[in-house]
Amino acid sequence: MLPYHSAEQVHAALPWPTLVSALRDAFAAGATVPRRHAHALSERDSLLLMPAWSDDALGVKVVTVMPDSRAARTVQALYILLDRRTGEPQAVLDGEALTVRRTAATSVLAASYLAREDASDLLVIGTGTLAPYTVRAYCAMRPAITRVRLWGRTPARAAALANALASEGLPVEACPDEPHSLHNALAASHIVCAATTSRTPIVNGAWLQAGTHVDLVGGFTPAMREADDDTMCASRIVVDSYDGALSEAGDLVDPLARGTIPRAQVVAELSELVAGTIPGRTDPSQITLFKSVGLALEDLAAATLVCGA
C-alpha cells in the first residue's frame, strides 16, 4: 500500500521558511509544466489534472470541482508523487492541504520581491479555506507586519475567522460591519491579498495608496475578476507563469482582450524575479501586483519536500 500523507501531516512537514526556500529553488531550477488540463464533466462539474516533472521528480494533482455534490467539500484533491526514473507511484498526499500551503507560500515569495520591506499593514479579502493560511504565511515570513485586517462578504464569518487567528497570537482583526469598511481598509493597507472566487472586482484601484502591493490568488478562470481595471492599469504586474495566467486569469484576460492594458504591462513571471533577470519593485511609490492561478511546479516542490524525495 502506498504511503498516504494526511492534511495534518502535509501541514506539519511544510513550515513556512522551509517551504518558501524550496519554492524559490524550484522556480530557479524550473520544471516541465504543461498547461492545466480542465475537463467539463457536466455543466457545473469539472475534473482538473495538474502534472509537472523535472530531472528528479514527477507528480500530478487530481482535482474535482462539484458544487452540487452531497460531499462536505465542493473541491477535493489528491496529489500522486511518482518515481521519475521508473514511473512507480511513491506516495499519495492530501491535495487541498498541499494547495493552500504552497499557494500562500508562493504569494509570500512573490511579495519578497514586490512588497516594500517596511510594509506593516496587511488586508486579506476572503474567508475561505485559503485565507487563514495566507495570514499565517505573511505573518511568519514578514515580521514587519503588525496589523492584519480581514474582510469578507459575510461579516460574521470574517469576525469568527479573525477571532480564531487572533487566538493563535496573530495581530488579526475583522473589518467593521459598516458600508465603507472595505474602502477604508484598502486605503490604509500596504499589502492587499484577495483570496476569493469573485466574478466582479472587489479591489478598487482608486482606493489604493501609493506603494501598495496587491496579491491576487483567488481567481483561476477567465470569468473571475478580483481587481478592477484601475488596479490593473496602475500596477507593475508579475504572474506565476505567463502560460497559465495569460490564458486563465480573468484579471488579465479581460482587460488585455479589451485593450485596457497592453501586454507589456505584465513585466515578468516569478521565475524571472527569482533569477534576477527582471527586477520586482523598482520604486517605493509604485503599486505592484502579483497574479497567480496556481502552478504545478509549486505542487511538485511541496510534495517532494513532504516525502523527502
Side-chain angles (χ1 to χ4, degrees), residues 1-247:
M1 181 178 294
L2 288 177
Y4 175 72
H5 298 266
S6 68
E8 293 77 12
Q9 291 170 323
V10 169
H11 286 301
L14 298 175
W16 298 115
T18 305
L19 178 55
V20 171
S21 178
L23 288 170
R24 195 186 305 272
D25 291 344
F27 275 99
T32 300
V33 184
R35 187 173 296 179
R36 183 185 353 237
H37 301 265
H39 302 276
L41 303 177
S42 67
E43 185 175 341
R44 286 170 58 79
D45 295 345
S46 300
L47 170 67
L48 308 177
L49 305 175
M50 296 178 63
W53 59 91
S54 65
D55 291 341
D56 302 314
L58 167 65
V60 60
K61 187 164 68 178
V62 180
V63 185
T64 57
V65 184
M66 298 187 175
D68 301 323
S69 170
R70 294 183 180 180
R73 295 181 295 176
T74 294
V75 180
Q76 301 193 62
L78 285 175
Y79 194 84
I80 305 168
L81 188 67
L82 305 104
D83 187 286
R84 177 64 182 86
R85 294 168 296 279
T86 67
E88 294 177 284
Q90 298 294 298
V92 177
L93 297 82
D94 183 282
E96 181 181 67
L98 196 74
T99 299
V100 296
R101 201 85 184 179
R102 61 77 156 157
T103 301
T106 300
S107 286
V108 171
L109 174 60
S112 71
Y113 300 97
L114 295 168
R116 289 173 48 155
E117 286 297 323
D118 61 353
S120 60
D121 201 308
L122 168 67
L123 169 64
V124 174
I125 300 173
T127 58
T129 304
L130 181 57
Y133 293 98
T134 300
V135 172
R136 292 173 184 132
Y138 270 107
C139 288
M141 298 301 295
R142 298 189 67 92
I145 292 177
T146 56
R147 185 180 190 184
V148 180
R149 294 180 180 89
L150 189 65
W151 185 90
R153 293 189 188 277
T154 306
R157 288 189 63 181
L161 180 56
N163 289 336
L165 291 167
S167 72
E168 298 176 16
L170 300 175
V172 185
E173 63 191 73
C175 292
D177 183 8
E178 56 188 38
H180 301 292
S181 177
L182 180 58
H183 180 164
N184 294 337
L186 283 168
S189 298
H190 305 135
I191 300 175
V192 174
C193 177
T196 76
T197 55
S198 180
R199 290 173 175 260
T200 56
I202 302 171
V203 178
N204 188 322
W207 299 343
L208 299 173
Q209 63 174 296
T212 300
H213 172 56
V214 180
D215 178 23
L216 303 180
V217 299
F220 58 90
T221 75
M224 295 178 179
R225 286 292 303 265
E226 293 188 291
D228 67 357
D229 286 351
D230 285 346
T231 303
M232 307 310 289
C233 289
S235 298
R236 179 175 175 83
I237 301 172
V238 174
V239 296
D240 52 356
S241 75
Y242 293 125
D243 188 48
L246 293 176
S247 62

Side-chain angles (χ1 to χ4, degrees), residues 242-267:
Y242 293 125
D243 188 48
L246 293 176
S247 62
E248 298 175 2
D251 286 295
L252 292 172
V253 172
D254 180 31
L256 283 169
R258 290 184 287 109
T260 303
I261 61 172
R263 169 61 182 81
Q265 190 92 11
V266 183
V267 300

